[in-house]
Amino acid sequence: MSVQGEIRERTRIDIREPKHYQVIMHNDDFTPMDFVVEILRGIFHKDEIEAVHLMMKVHESGSAAVGAYPRDIAVTKVQNATARAREEGYPFRMTIEAI
């Protein structure tokens, strides 16, 4: 049974991926390489080989992108890494850039 004059609406849902941000790690002359590898493994979940490769890229190039994440996750990872560095007394620096 159909109701006379029935109107059906179609709703279009437009779902977009969140904008991603690159986390950039910057070289300095004071933060130990082992500490950088530890950060890459513990906070950025890189395996040993990738962590060492990225650490060397930062060391040789001055900076390197170490991952791309939605903004909130990128900011949290940078804050966690920076807090651990400060606890150890290192001037370790990371930034985020929109992709």
Side-chain angles (χ1 to χ4, degrees):
M1 183 173 176
S2 173
V3 177
Q4 193 171 17
E6 180 180 331
I7 298 175
R8 291 185 178 210
E9 286 186 36
R10 287 193 175 192
T11 304
R12 181 185 161 117
I13 299 173
D14 191 17
I15 299 174
R16 293 184 211 154
E17 287 287 318
K19 189 173 183 179
H20 277 68
Y21 292 78
Q22 283 187 334
V23 175
I24 309 295
M25 187 175 281
H26 301 275
N27 189 44
D28 65 67
D29 293 333
F30 305 101
T31 305
M33 292 178 179
D34 290 343
F35 179 81
V36 174
V37 170
E38 181 182 314
I39 291 294
L40 288 165
R41 294 195 72 204
I43 294 176
F44 292 90
H45 307 291
K46 306 296 183 188
D47 63 36
E48 181 75 21
I49 293 169
E50 188 176 7
V52 170
H53 173 76
L54 285 168
M55 177 274 298
M56 289 306 297
K57 188 173 179 182
V58 170
H59 179 69
E60 293 169 356
S61 304
S63 66
V66 298
Y69 309 92
R71 187 178 190 286
D72 291 347
I73 293 172
V75 168
T76 299
K77 287 182 178 292
V78 168
Q79 288 173 340
N80 290 342
T82 302
R84 285 186 52 193
R86 297 302 173 264
E87 287 172 7
E88 299 292 327
Y90 302 133
F92 186 63
R93 190 169 73 92
M94 302 180 85
T95 56
I96 63 170
E97 295 177 1
I99 297 176

